[in-house]
Amino acid sequence: MTLSQLGAFVFVARLGSVKAAARALGVSEPAVSQSLAQLRRHLGDPLVTRSGDRMVLTEGGRRLLGIAAQIVALGAEAVAAVQPGRPARLHVVMDAGLAEYVAGPLLCLFAQRKSVEATTGVSATAEIPLLLSSRLADVALGAQTAGQGLTSRPVLRCRLIVVGSPRGRRDHWLVGPSGTDPASDTSRLLRLLRVQESQVRVFANQTAAWKAAAEGAGVAPATAHLVSSQLRRGELVPIETPATPLPAYWYATALEPATRSAAAGTFLDFLTTPAATQIMRTPDEGIPRSRFRPPVHVSIWS
């Protein structure tokens, strides 16, 4: 029995599917299925069974889940405990839009100031409580997240607008990956405007969605300050809607102070500084070349 096997079981049990667990852990579905199969054989119990489109716990799985979650969290703490002398580690998960635009300059500046090894990953909002409680992430940045043992506080106020080409189509809505997260601000806006799923096209990243909107393929939700340069150049124009501009916040979520890592607490304090706010508001201005150290993007798997 290994930490990888227990981690696969915990994520499948909490998220309800092998696919969701693989996405959260940053590995392939076969890797999760193999780890789960090995644990089943070792313990002699199915642990989870399929019911409709979800995986549900067996009686043995229910008894194991709490213990397995504690073991996975302790395993992450053990790895950190046996590396004295090394820089503290910080893993931050974000929604896809923030990871695309903000992660690089924000974590680079933080790592330079605090001598911390900072890594990033992309996560859906529903996955965040499990990633934090399992110690596979230290801080989440994006939508407000609720959960037992978690604290979530706003770090930046912003506005969501709709942009498009002056003469482009208005019947297609172009979104990045965050548009598929039901808890994201983009999804909230689409619900307020009662946009039908058939009208939505999802792109590999937010830049591609805005590029398609500039070419006239449709309209795109956008965080106002992140798209300001395209608006100044006239590549995109604001499109009036009944729901925009929509007030929104970026939240930082972590474990409660008594249980979070020291690096997580330091990062939360850093997010309230003027320098961090400036980076989040104008990430396209970058930082001096001499101070740039790119953050490492890693899969969440042990």
Side-chain angles (χ1 to χ4, degrees), residues 107-118:
L107 292 187
C108 178
L109 180 61
F110 174 71
Q112 289 290 311
R113 288 188 168 197
K114 302 298 181 180
S115 298
V116 171
E117 284 187 9

Side-chain angles (χ1 to χ4, degrees), residues 227-249:
V227 78
S228 60
S229 59
Q230 291 95 319
L231 294 173
R232 285 196 301 269
R233 293 193 296 266
E235 299 169 3
L236 293 167
V237 297
I239 307 298
E240 292 187 6
T241 78
T244 53
L246 180 67
Y249 285 91

Side-chain angles (χ1 to χ4, degrees), residues 153-232:
R153 67 191 192 195
V155 293
L156 189 72
R157 184 177 183 178
C158 51
R159 297 179 301 122
L160 209 63
I161 61 174
V162 176
V163 297
S165 169
R167 292 170 294 277
R169 301 180 61 165
R170 300 291 187 263
D171 56 340
H172 284 171
W173 288 77
L174 318 176
V175 303
S178 61
T180 64
D181 184 347
S184 71
D185 291 326
T186 297
S187 292
R188 181 162 64 100
L189 176 60
L190 295 179
R191 288 194 297 270
L192 287 172
L193 294 173
R194 299 185 179 181
V195 176
Q196 300 297 313
E197 188 173 346
S198 60
Q199 297 176 275
V200 179
R201 296 173 58 193
V202 181
F203 288 77
N205 53 58
Q206 189 62 63
T207 299
W210 290 344
K211 181 176 183 293
E215 293 171 349
V219 297
T223 302
H225 67 270
L226 294 182
V227 78
S228 60
S229 59
Q230 291 95 319
L231 294 173
R232 285 196 301 269

Side-chain angles (χ1 to χ4, degrees), residues 6 38 58 113 129 142 150 156 186 192 201 222 233-234 253 265 300 302:
L6 291 171
Q38 291 169 341
T58 65
R113 288 188 168 197
L150 302 182
L156 189 72
T186 297
L192 287 172
R201 296 173 58 193
R233 293 193 296 266
T253 305
I300 305 169
S302 59

Side-chain angles (χ1 to χ4, degrees), residues 12-291:
V12 170
R14 291 279 175 81
L15 299 178
S17 74
V18 170
K19 181 178 181 179
R23 183 179 62 245
L25 290 164
V27 299
S28 67
E29 292 182 41
V32 173
S33 296
Q34 182 179 6
S35 290
L36 186 58
Q38 291 169 341
L39 185 63
R40 283 166 158 167
R41 286 195 297 269
H42 180 78
L43 297 176
D45 189 283
L47 301 178
V48 290
T49 59
R50 182 167 297 281
S51 177
D53 60 351
R54 288 186 61 83
M55 303 291 282
V56 298
L57 291 165
T58 65
E59 183 60 33
R62 281 191 289 272
R63 290 194 296 267
L64 175 64
L65 181 57
I67 300 170
Q70 293 179 48
I71 293 173
V72 171
L74 288 171
E77 291 182 17
V79 171
V82 298
Q83 297 175 337
R86 293 191 58 179
R89 291 187 173 187
L90 177 80
H91 187 64
V92 182
V93 291
M94 306 182 184
D95 79 12
L98 270 67
E100 182 177 349
Y101 288 96
V102 174
L106 183 66
L107 292 187
C108 178
L109 180 61
F110 174 71
Q112 289 290 311
R113 288 188 168 197
K114 302 298 181 180
S115 298
V116 171
E117 284 187 9
T119 60
T120 65
V122 175
S123 173
T125 305
E127 301 164 354
I128 287 172
L130 182 55
L131 293 172
L132 293 173
S133 64
S134 300
R135 307 298 202 279
L136 297 180
D138 299 293
V139 178
L141 194 59
Q144 186 174 19
T145 305
Q148 185 176 3
L150 302 182
T151 59
S152 190
R153 67 191 192 195
V155 293
L156 189 72
R157 184 177 183 178
C158 51
R159 297 179 301 122
L160 209 63
I161 61 174
V162 176
V163 297
S165 169
R167 292 170 294 277
R169 301 180 61 165
R170 300 291 187 263
D171 56 340
H172 284 171
W173 288 77
L174 318 176
V175 303
S178 61
T180 64
D181 184 347
S184 71
D185 291 326
T186 297
S187 292
R188 181 162 64 100
L189 176 60
L190 295 179
R191 288 194 297 270
L192 287 172
L193 294 173
R194 299 185 179 181
V195 176
Q196 300 297 313
E197 188 173 346
S198 60
Q199 297 176 275
V200 179
R201 296 173 58 193
V202 181
F203 288 77
N205 53 58
Q206 189 62 63
T207 299
W210 290 344
K211 181 176 183 293
E215 293 171 349
V219 297
T223 302
H225 67 270
L226 294 182
V227 78
S228 60
S229 59
Q230 291 95 319
L231 294 173
R232 285 196 301 269
R233 293 193 296 266
E235 299 169 3
L236 293 167
V237 297
I239 307 298
E240 292 187 6
T241 78
T244 53
L246 180 67
Y249 285 91
W250 292 353
Y251 287 84
T253 305
L255 295 174
E256 293 178 342
T259 55
R260 72 175 61 132
S261 68
T266 303
F267 184 66
L268 292 175
D269 292 339
F270 165 74
L271 289 175
T272 65
T273 64
T277 300
Q278 181 67 17
I279 285 288
M280 289 188 284
R281 287 201 175 278
T282 57
D284 54 347
E285 292 185 1
I287 60 175
R289 180 178 178 179
S290 61
R291 295 172 58 188

